[in-house]
Amino acid sequence: MPRPARHAVEIKPTPAPDSEKITINLGFVDLGQIDLLVREGFYANRTDFIRTAIRQQLQHHGEAVRQTVARQTLTLGIQRFTRADLEALQRAGEHLDVRVLGLASIADDVSPELARATIASIAVLGSLQASAAVRAALADRMR
């Protein structure tokens, strides 16, 4: 009896999520109206309705967001800081003022000491991904 062919499977690390889960409270009437629109086929589900509503509001206020980003010199999108990045800053005697609208990510191998030595201030509108130890080390520098 022939043996089944074996296939090699490449296992890749799971990438960091590109979204963050939030919880909202809605009144019963609002929720009922959303459910009605879903049932009538306007939206696939509640999440589809909420995402669409949020995107429409962001589009409506898009110019105000763009002007604020430019005025406050925010990085728009994702900004990642690796240990090598921060070590290079430390060697150069430089400090960062991190200002991000989106996601700021500090690598897991960055020590609290390295973060404190190189990050002068940090302001994130969105989400900050960093170890609990790095967050604690930077707590007094977060705005």
Side-chain angles (χ1 to χ4, degrees):
M1 173 175 229
R3 295 171 61 168
R6 294 186 181 219
H7 298 283
V9 177
E10 182 179 352
I11 299 174
K12 296 180 181 178
T14 304
D18 63 351
S19 63
E20 187 165 328
K21 189 175 200 171
I22 63 169
T23 302
I24 61 170
N25 295 321
L26 292 175
F28 297 118
V29 174
D30 293 338
L31 190 57
Q33 291 178 70
I34 293 169
D35 286 344
L36 176 68
L37 291 170
V38 169
R39 189 179 75 198
E40 293 298 311
F42 289 94
Y43 300 94
N45 51 44
R46 290 175 174 175
T47 299
D48 183 34
F49 173 88
I50 293 167
R51 282 188 186 133
T52 300
I54 290 169
R55 286 183 186 125
Q56 287 173 347
Q57 286 300 304
L58 291 172
Q59 184 177 12
H60 176 73
H61 297 286
E63 185 56 32
V65 169
R66 282 186 287 282
Q67 289 176 6
T68 303
V69 167
R71 185 177 68 247
Q72 295 185 7
T73 60
L74 296 167
T75 298
L76 180 61
I78 299 173
Q79 187 166 23
R80 300 186 195 283
F81 300 98
T82 66
R83 187 177 81 196
D85 295 334
L86 298 182
E87 287 172 342
L89 283 170
Q90 188 177 36
R91 284 191 301 275
E94 297 178 11
H95 298 90
L96 285 174
D97 289 309
V98 177
R99 300 172 60 83
V100 175
L101 189 153
L103 171 66
S105 175
I106 301 173
D108 289 338
D109 62 350
V110 171
S111 69
E113 298 77 21
L114 179 58
R116 280 196 65 80
T118 55
I119 299 174
S121 68
I122 185 163
V124 178
L125 298 168
S127 184
L128 170 64
Q129 291 180 347
S131 69
V134 167
R135 282 178 177 269
L138 297 174
D140 64 331
R141 298 171 186 200
M142 290 186 192
R143 297 188 172 95

